[in-house]
Amino acid sequence: VGVMIVIDRSGSMNETDSYGDVMLEAAKAGASSCLSALSERDYVGIKTLDDVQASILPMTPRTQVVVKAGEMEDHTTITIGNALVQSR
């Protein structure tokens, strides 16, 4: 499976949803959950959207992406909610 996660970073994403959560934070949490659900045979990529789109992580084998909280060493890191995504 190949999954491209696209996160809207436009200004409206700083508003709260009907549950009282900031929409951007909810999107990040959903992205983190999605990453955790992928198997070692899957691929994942991450893009952001606001005025322009940016490729944060190109399609990468899930085995080369580590999702964990805390500090990372000198690798590409992407903050998603309370987790960091690290591409090896």
Side-chain angles (χ1 to χ4, degrees), residues 74-88:
D74 295 344
H75 296 282
T76 303
T77 59
I78 303 145
T79 304
I80 298 184
N82 293 328
L84 291 175
V85 175
Q86 173 185 3
S87 176
R88 293 186 199 172

Side-chain angles (χ1 to χ4, degrees), residues 6-68:
V6 180
I7 299 176
D8 181 355
R9 296 187 330 170
S10 65
S12 64
M13 292 298 285
N14 291 316
E15 297 175 12
T16 56
D17 60 18
S18 59
Y19 298 103
D21 298 322
V22 175
M23 291 188 286
L24 182 57
E25 296 308 313
K28 290 177 181 179
S32 182
S33 293
C34 179
L35 286 169
S36 297
L38 294 175
S39 78
E40 62 185 35
R41 297 180 310 189
D42 298 331
Y43 287 76
V44 64
I46 301 172
K47 291 186 181 235
T48 59
L49 273 195
D50 46 27
D51 294 345
V52 296
Q53 67 92 16
S55 182
I56 302 298
L57 181 70
M59 289 303 279
T60 303
R62 177 61 182 89
T63 56
Q64 294 182 13
V65 178
V66 178
V67 181
K68 59 165 110 168

